Amino acid sequence: MTAVNFDISKFLDRLFPLERSIMGESNRKTLSIIREIIPIEILEYPSGMSVFDWNIPDEWKVYQAWIKDSNGNILLNGKDNSLRIVNYSIPVNCTLTALELAPHLHSIPDAPDTIPYKTSYYSPDWGFCLTHIEKESILYDPGKTFSVCIQSEFKKGSLSIGELVIPGKHDSEILISTYICHPSLANDNLSGIALTTFLAKWLLGKSRNFTYRIIFAPETIGTITYLFTHFNEIKRVLCGLNVTCVAGPGPFGYKQTFQKDHTIDRAVRLYFRDSGTSFVEYPFIPQGSDERQYSSPGFRIPVGSIHKDKYHEYPQYHTSKDDLSFISPQSLEKTLKIYQNVIEIIESNAVITSLQPFGEPQLGRRGLYPNVGRRTISNKLHKDDFEKELDTLLWVLFYADGTMHTIDIAEITGIPFERCAAAIDKLVQAGLLKKELYIPDAPVIMF
Ligand code: ZN
């Protein structure tokens, strides 16, 4: 196990048990653990604050919860698993028949030993989540009555968001966002919190061309709050990645941005193509995660997501089976590498202009071409390294008209991005090319 793996695995172990929700102490604890690794600022926004069409709710806390039979025997202890109580359940203390209790017991008949994860943040409700086996054993006798208690409390508090802005040479920004509102669920989305933390640590390791805005916020309400309170700053963001479900045992996936072919979409596809890694591509739909907020009409930021076991695509999703045994630090590290590589592609993607555009420049006297004989671009399938490099140099020179960037050339020619980038650097060194960082267009918004 590598050093990074060890750090990631320790991080996952510490954060998994915390009972995160959209607000509360566990979210602040989560952010403070992240702050041990990267210097995030922790921003707090009060309950009751209006943010666009929403209001920041109160914090929610559960002191105890149970279902007892008429003899006082505990049939279900609501505190023995973080998923037991429907998140944001209102207080309840009453006696119910089996028929009255049944609609408040949530289970998955098809996965009878699994506890589902349920929330009711914005409509007052209450409920217990339990395995189907437990549900059947509680409700087996329709004539029974139960005493039910959820001692929960709602109180004014604050919504917590972690933010880190890593300045680059350019003000133009790339957004990396993840959500911190799920309790003890591993792939969705403790894995996203961990990947974002270690990606930010890596970004801090050297100077960057773009500025990076890293956000840890509760899903939906947190992102909306962040956008509301950073209305001007967010206009510098060109595109982004929303990090969720990144450490499962299954396939890599990519959910496209709403633009489908934005630079960030193309960078992701190139990485998968060049590395020969198979992945499932998912079209943008206005359901899913926080890309819905960032890409809404008032912001229109293209945001994609690279996954390993995308949400809704694995049976353990939103259940007690999405635990630490489902994910692995090794899987997480593989996905982290992909995020890093995609960022490197965007960081080194350059518009190139020939400084010798009239006719073919003489490569031989610059040590870039064999000076004996004449070679042409061959169509042979198996080229040696020299031929491959020569091909790349010639293609790069051919497209160096000031309108094309590295990603364009890698896509058109099929030559790996990294090889194109290396050829560009060689030609820049030889004084044959000028290169400038390609800055994608800023989002076009109507408001
Ligand atoms: Zn989720």
Side-chain angles (χ1 to χ4, degrees), residues 31 55 63 143 186 334 358 361 385:
L31 292 173
N55 274 303
Y63 295 96
K334 282 182 195 162
F358 303 108
D385 287 348

Side-chain angles (χ1 to χ4, degrees), residues 32-67:
S32 79
I33 293 174
I34 294 168
R35 196 160 54 180
E36 292 174 20
I37 298 169
I38 52 168
I40 53 168
E41 288 221 34
I42 299 176
L43 314 171
E44 301 284 352
Y45 302 98
S47 298
M49 181 179 168
S50 298
V51 287
F52 299 124
D53 201 34
W54 298 64
N55 274 303
I56 297 180
D58 287 343
E59 289 187 20
W60 173 74
K61 202 173 159 90
V62 179
Y63 295 96
Q64 58 172 337
W66 37 255
I67 300 172

Side-chain angles (χ1 to χ4, degrees), residues 23-208:
M23 297 167 66
E25 212 39 63
S26 288
N27 289 26
R28 285 185 279 276
K29 176 81 181 150
T30 296
L31 292 173
S32 79
I33 293 174
I34 294 168
R35 196 160 54 180
E36 292 174 20
I37 298 169
I38 52 168
I40 53 168
E41 288 221 34
I42 299 176
L43 314 171
E44 301 284 352
Y45 302 98
S47 298
M49 181 179 168
S50 298
V51 287
F52 299 124
D53 201 34
W54 298 64
N55 274 303
I56 297 180
D58 287 343
E59 289 187 20
W60 173 74
K61 202 173 159 90
V62 179
Y63 295 96
Q64 58 172 337
W66 37 255
I67 300 172
K68 290 180 183 171
D69 65 18
S70 50
N71 298 322
N73 301 311
I74 291 190
L75 302 176
L76 195 76
N77 174 7
K79 293 294 277 180
D80 68 358
N81 186 302
S82 335
L83 306 183
R84 277 285 189 224
I85 313 296
V86 172
N87 219 290
Y88 269 64
S89 279
I90 56 172
V92 57
N93 193 353
C94 58
T95 303
L96 298 176
T97 64
L99 208 61
E100 289 165 328
L101 177 60
H104 295 281
L105 300 188
H106 304 281
S107 68
I108 309 170
D110 293 341
D113 59 345
T114 295
I115 304 171
Y117 163 58
K118 297 269 178 203
T119 65
S120 188
Y121 297 134
Y122 306 109
S123 58
D125 199 357
W126 64 271
F128 288 84
C129 299
L130 67 178
T131 69
H132 199 63
I133 297 166
E134 288 168 334
K135 183 175 174 177
E136 291 203 312
S137 86
I138 290 173
L139 296 178
Y140 78 95
D141 180 357
K144 278 169 83 173
T145 58
F146 303 91
S147 83
V148 177
C149 163
I150 297 178
Q151 191 191 345
S152 63
E153 183 188 33
F154 291 86
K155 56 174 189 184
K156 298 271 171 257
S158 63
L159 182 147
S160 316
I161 294 176
E163 177 202 56
L164 173 64
V165 178
I166 305 174
K169 293 187 191 103
H170 292 261
D171 290 343
S172 299
E173 295 186 5
I174 293 173
L175 172 81
I176 309 288
S177 180
T178 194
Y179 53 91
I180 57 163
C181 49
H182 287 37
S184 304
L185 294 167
N187 200 38
D188 180 25
N189 187 37
L190 178 54
S191 71
I193 299 173
L195 189 143
T196 305
T197 303
F198 287 90
L199 182 66
K201 188 180 175 190
W202 171 82
L203 281 167
L204 286 162
K206 71 171 192 191
S207 76
R208 303 282 167 189

Side-chain angles (χ1 to χ4, degrees), residues 110 220 227:
D110 293 341
T220 311
L227 288 167

Side-chain angles (χ1 to χ4, degrees), residues 331-373:
S331 288
L332 197 147
E333 210 173 20
K334 282 182 195 162
T335 320
L336 173 61
K337 287 244 154 58
I338 299 178
Y339 275 85
Q340 291 170 340
N341 276 291
V342 167
I343 287 173
E344 291 290 17
I345 289 176
I346 291 168
E347 283 273 319
S348 57
N349 187 32
V351 178
I352 53 166
T353 311
S354 174
L355 299 174
Q356 292 288 345
F358 303 108
E360 190 181 87
Q362 199 182 350
L363 298 182
R365 72 180 160 87
R366 295 177 172 91
L368 298 170
Y369 198 86
N371 37 29
V372 181

